Amino acid sequence: MTESTLSVNQNPMRKVKLAKVTVNIGLGESGDRLQKAYQLLQELTGAKPVYTISKKTIREFGIRKGQEIGVKVTLRGTQAEGFLRKVLEAIGYRLKKSSFDEYGNVSFGIAEHVILPGARYDPEIGIFGMDIAITLERAGYRISRRRRKKTRIPRRHRVTKEEAMEFLRNNFNVQLVEG
């Protein structure tokens, strides 16, 4: 069988896959509330979060450069897929088409963490909103991240907006709404 007779679906290099899910809680302040967000994120995802640091000083918000102002965690593999299913269930398996970018990434937010299945409200911790970013890629994307002979992903191999929508529709039963 030659390459031209192979369909797009049969070529394993063209298959879209879930690369990672990044969960972020941005507070804009440090202190006790940041520690509670750290605990919450660790409890919800089962992974160890890292602190995000401000890049510049903003006097109006009382933020200094280098100050810890949020927490994030990156999930990969089965852990990412499990958390993504939980989050999609919480939002009713509905995503806006405007949440997709041209490179197959999807971002959306959750106003309150208590809507997640299995999450409970704890008055000690409080309620936090969070941002979820889904990154999709194909086999071979390592060439853009490796240390030696790094090169860019050709346009024909990148995940498009339509392919990302189709992937989420087929694998996670997501309904796409206008917006």
Side-chain angles (χ1 to χ4, degrees):
M1 213 189 260
T2 64
E3 187 178 334
S4 61
T5 59
L6 283 175
S7 72
V8 172
N9 296 336
Q10 291 176 336
N11 186 349
M13 291 296 283
R14 298 290 299 166
K15 186 178 178 190
V16 177
K17 62 181 181 178
L18 178 66
K20 64 182 176 179
V21 174
T22 308
V23 185
N24 175 45
I25 299 177
L27 297 173
E29 63 182 85
S30 59
D32 190 41
R33 198 160 144 72
L34 186 65
Q35 298 300 324
K36 290 177 181 179
Y38 183 93
Q39 284 179 306
L40 176 72
L41 206 53
Q42 193 169 19
E43 185 181 306
L44 288 176
T45 61
K48 186 178 178 186
V50 296
Y51 292 102
T52 56
I53 296 170
S54 66
K55 294 181 180 178
K56 58 185 177 180
T57 300
I58 305 171
R59 285 192 179 166
E60 293 81 36
F61 299 124
I63 298 172
R64 294 182 321 275
K65 183 178 180 178
Q67 183 180 8
E68 295 173 342
I69 57 171
V71 288
K72 71 176 180 180
V73 66
T74 302
L75 305 170
R76 298 177 193 273
T78 56
Q79 196 176 24
E81 195 172 317
F83 184 77
L84 183 57
R85 289 193 190 282
K86 196 186 323 182
V87 169
L88 289 173
E89 182 182 334
I91 61 169
Y93 294 98
R94 297 167 56 97
L95 286 174
K96 292 180 182 177
K97 289 183 180 179
S98 61
S99 297
F100 291 80
D101 72 359
E102 295 303 316
Y103 301 106
N105 301 311
V106 189
S107 296
F108 59 94
I110 293 180
E112 298 177 348
H113 77 274
V114 292
I115 64 170
L116 293 173
R120 54 178 174 66
Y121 173 69
D122 186 1
E124 291 265 328
I125 294 176
I127 294 179
F128 290 99
M130 58 185 69
D131 302 316
I132 291 101
I134 304 166
T135 305
L136 302 175
E137 62 183 31
R138 290 194 162 100
Y141 268 49
R142 180 179 168 269
I143 64 168
S144 66
R145 292 187 299 264
R146 65 188 178 190
R147 181 175 235 147
R148 190 168 173 268
K149 288 198 168 188
K150 186 183 293 192
T151 184
R152 66 174 191 82
I153 306 293
R155 187 178 304 275
R156 66 183 179 273
H157 194 65
R158 292 184 190 146
V159 178
T160 64
K161 185 176 186 175
E162 290 75 27
E163 289 170 331
M165 290 178 184
E166 190 66 30
F167 175 81
L168 288 174
R169 206 179 292 128
N170 293 340
N171 295 347
F172 293 97
N173 301 321
V174 171
Q175 295 176 348
L176 300 170
V177 295
E178 293 297 325

